[in-house]
Amino acid sequence: MEVLYARCSGIDVHERFVVVCLSQVEQRRRTKELRRFATMTGDLLRLRKWLLEAGL
């Protein structure tokens, strides 16, 4: 299967938290990482930082 996007993420939004999956393909190998963040401003800023550092 051809890789269309080397990096992508999905977000599952709940009332008090969000769960984010980051999927990356490097050297023909896929890795997935799940993280959970509260919906408070500080945690959402940490989520933003994580995604930016991952190149998204």
Side-chain angles (χ1 to χ4, degrees), residues 39-51:
T39 55
M40 304 302 288
T41 303
D43 275 357
L44 295 177
L45 290 173
R46 282 189 285 281
L47 164 59
R48 178 182 181 272
K49 181 181 176 187
W50 177 54
L51 292 176

